[in-house]
Amino acid sequence: MELLAWVFPALVLLCTQQHRCIRAMTDIGDYVGSNIEISWLPNLDDLMKGYARNFRPGIGGPPVNVALAIEVASIDHISEVNMEYTMTVFLHQSWRDDRLSYNHTNETLGLDSRFVDKLWLPDTFIVNAKSAWFHDVTVENKLIRLQPDGVILYSIRITSTVACDMDLSKYPMDEQECMLDLESYGYSSEDIVYHWSENQEEIHGLDKLQLAQFTITNYQFTTEIMNFKSGQFPRLSLHFHLRRNRGVYIIQSYVPSILLVAMSWVSFWISQSAVPARVSLGITTVLTMTTLMVSARSSLPRASAIKALDVYFWICYVFVFAALVEYAFAHFNADYMKKQKNKLKARRRSAEINVKNAIVLFSLSIAGVSQGLAISNRQHRIPRSLPGSYGTIEIETGETKQRQIMKLDKKSGLKSLFKPIDADTIDIYARAVFPAAFAAVNVIYWVAYTM
């Protein structure tokens, strides 16, 4: 019984493994027998005999025509600070190499990516690339296909960080044009000629891209010959136009700025006597506007060009600061008018005292006490003091009165030019002038930068 307990599981395991092996062999036999006929495959060793991968096809003859096509997989990041973008593309290159033609069949032969190392390849490079790399997970992302007439299709997957010169004068209402330049590094136009593939009427995958900050509005293909000291080199360029999405900037920058400006206007409805409230509100809005300006500029390059966002920030900053200055001006006028009222009251009091003294003097003159003093004052215009505590009274001639009247007229003329305005009147004017001016400036701003 113990022997049977050991032998039976071993027999069951052996039968299971044999069944799996038979099934696998059957599947392979069906696949090979039904879909593949190995007899038509060309002998690669015969094709590669005498093949020199260091020389281009048809060396010494006409240039090799290389057709290029691009498929965009993704545009990962567009940076205004570094003025660059990162793009992943499938680069397809096709050319004819008569040395690899075969006549065994009309079928296209798909080869392993390691076979690429044995072939001559165009030395295509990205001119404006800062960095680039190939993908190799799980194997190198390369495709090689060979047609009977010797036409080779070579496709690779590349991720590259490419430079893009940006004009940020209208940021964030700007539109940018970025390029991807492809060129032969070592072969001049006498050895190789690039052209866009006939099937490259549009970029596959570009219409499905969803970018965070931009929208691709248009793209175009160009072909040109670049002149260098070492010769003329063919270049193919892909131009694509980007329009920045403004929604996030309106929410994060424009709306807070408008609200800060409107908040500064609240001080126009606060009483002039509430000095701490109005001063603290004005200083708070100014400091908050400064912080918003600094935080917005931290994500931008330190360029000398004045951006549209900077212009709007400074417009808002001027209005916020002007609201603070308005209170200082209104408070100065209120304090000045208060002092003038106090002076006027003091003058009225002194005038009343002078009238009382004059009445006393008049009563004494009737009594005959001050007759001699009155006669001497009329002759010599010398003021004298009455005995006792009645004070002094100056008696003037008609000429001095006229001079004083002329001086008073001049002073009153200057005061009329610089006549202080009531503080409440200043606030009433500011409630209408500030919003109207800010609305007019906004209309001019948006028309200038969006048209």
Side-chain angles (χ1 to χ4, degrees):
M1 292 297 291
E2 294 181 358
L3 181 61
L4 183 62
W6 283 96
V7 172
F8 183 74
L11 292 174
V12 172
L13 181 61
L14 181 61
C15 292
T16 303
Q17 294 294 335
Q18 185 177 5
H19 176 71
R20 289 180 180 176
C21 183
I22 294 172
R23 182 177 179 182
M25 292 298 295
T26 303
D27 293 342
I28 293 175
D30 293 341
Y31 177 75
V32 173
S34 59
N35 296 330
I36 296 181
E37 294 181 0
I38 307 298
S39 60
W40 65 266
L41 290 175
N43 192 337
L44 295 180
D45 293 334
D46 295 338
L47 287 177
M48 299 305 297
K49 285 182 180 180
Y51 185 87
R53 64 184 299 271
N54 297 324
F55 300 100
R56 69 172 180 86
I59 185 171
V64 181
N65 291 313
V66 179
L68 294 183
I70 288 179
E71 292 183 20
V72 177
S74 65
I75 298 178
D76 303 322
H77 180 64
I78 301 176
S79 173
E80 295 86 1
V81 177
N82 300 322
M83 291 196 177
E84 63 186 19
Y85 67 95
T86 302
M87 174 186 283
T88 300
V89 298
F90 296 96
L91 179 61
H92 308 295
Q93 303 179 76
S94 179
W95 68 95
R96 181 188 295 274
D97 193 343
D98 294 329
R99 297 173 293 179
L100 298 177
S101 60
Y102 56 90
N103 53 10
H104 296 76
T105 179
N106 292 327
E107 298 290 336
T108 299
L109 183 62
L111 302 175
D112 188 84
S113 60
R114 290 170 291 186
F115 189 72
V116 173
D117 298 333
K118 301 179 180 181
L119 300 178
W120 175 90
L121 300 175
D123 57 346
T124 308
F125 79 107
I126 302 175
V127 179
N128 50 349
K130 293 184 176 180
S131 62
W133 61 91
F134 298 107
H135 294 260
D136 54 1
V137 179
T138 57
V139 294
E140 293 184 353
N141 296 173
K142 296 180 180 179
L143 179 145
I144 187 76
R145 288 179 181 174
L146 180 60
Q147 296 181 6
D149 55 356
V151 175
I152 300 174
L153 173 62
Y154 176 52
S155 177
I156 52 176
R157 184 185 179 193
I158 306 174
T159 297
S160 178
T161 300
V162 186
C164 178
D165 295 332
M166 299 183 183
D167 181 13
L168 299 176
S169 59
K170 290 188 175 182
Y171 176 90
M173 274 83 71
D174 56 329
E175 295 185 2
Q176 304 296 338
E177 180 183 1
C178 293
M179 296 184 296
L180 182 69
D181 298 328
L182 301 172
E183 185 180 311
S184 173
Y185 191 84
Y187 292 103
S188 65
S189 58
E190 298 178 356
D191 295 319
I192 192 171
V193 174
Y194 284 112
H195 62 88
W196 290 107
S197 175
E198 296 178 356
N199 299 326
Q200 190 71 49
E201 297 179 357
E202 61 180 12
I203 301 178
H204 299 285
L206 198 61
D207 55 342
K208 299 179 182 179
L209 290 180
Q210 297 292 333
L211 303 180
Q213 299 184 21
F214 292 91
T215 300
I216 300 176
T217 58
N218 189 21
Y219 59 87
Q220 59 183 357
F221 306 98
T222 59
T223 303
E224 57 183 335
I225 300 295
M226 306 302 298
N227 295 315
F228 300 102
K229 291 183 178 180
S230 55
Q232 295 181 337
F233 292 82
R235 175 180 295 183
L236 300 183
S237 300
L238 167 63
H239 303 254
F240 52 96
H241 301 267
L242 304 170
R243 185 179 67 243
R244 193 181 300 275
N245 300 326
R246 306 165 188 170
V248 63
Y249 297 95
I250 292 176
I251 295 173
Q252 293 182 356
S253 299
Y254 286 97
V255 172
S257 301
I258 294 173
L259 293 178
L260 283 174
V261 174
M263 187 184 299
S264 67
W265 299 339
V266 176
S267 62
F268 302 151
W269 278 266
I270 299 177
S271 175
Q272 289 285 338
S273 59
V275 177
R278 296 193 65 164
V279 172
S280 61
L281 180 61
I283 294 177
T284 301
T285 51
V286 169
L287 294 179
T288 307
M289 194 69 217
T290 304
T291 304
L292 186 62
M293 294 170 62
V294 172
S295 62
R297 289 184 61 87
S298 62
S299 60
L300 295 175
R302 299 182 178 228
S304 59
I306 299 177
K307 307 169 189 62
L309 188 61
D310 296 335
V311 173
Y312 195 82
F313 278 152
W314 277 108
I315 290 173
C316 296
Y317 190 87
V318 168
F319 273 91
V320 170
F321 188 76
L324 182 61
V325 172
E326 183 272 344
Y327 174 65
F329 179 71
H331 185 73
F332 172 80
N333 279 270
D335 188 59
Y336 181 80
M337 294 186 69
K338 184 177 179 180
K339 291 180 180 179
Q340 291 297 323
K341 289 180 180 179
N342 293 333
K343 288 182 179 179
L344 184 60
K345 289 181 180 180
R347 288 177 182 176
R348 287 178 180 176
R349 290 176 184 175
S350 63
E352 291 177 357
I353 294 173
N354 290 335
V355 170
K356 290 180 181 179
N357 293 334
I359 292 173
V360 173
L361 179 61
F362 183 71
S363 62
L364 292 176
S365 63
I366 292 175
V369 177
S370 58
Q371 184 175 5
L373 179 63
I375 294 171
S376 62
N377 284 338
R378 283 195 296 270
Q379 292 176 354
H380 302 287
R381 297 170 50 220
I382 300 176
R384 295 182 180 271
S385 299
L386 292 176
S389 60
Y390 297 107
T392 57
I393 300 175
E394 184 178 318
I395 301 173
E396 303 171 343
T397 61
E399 294 179 359
T400 56
K401 288 182 179 179
Q402 290 180 358
R403 291 177 183 176
Q404 288 187 355
I405 290 172
M406 292 176 64
K407 291 181 180 179
L408 290 174
D409 291 338
K410 291 181 179 179
K411 291 183 179 180
S412 62
L414 294 174
K415 289 183 178 179
S416 62
L417 292 176
F418 302 100
K419 186 178 180 180
I421 306 173
D422 183 62
D424 295 331
T425 304
I426 295 175
D427 284 342
I428 292 173
Y429 286 153
R431 294 170 191 172
V433 171
F434 272 72
F438 188 68
V441 171
N442 268 273
V443 171
I444 297 173
Y445 173 86
W446 290 102
V447 169
Y449 282 104
T450 57
M451 300 300 287

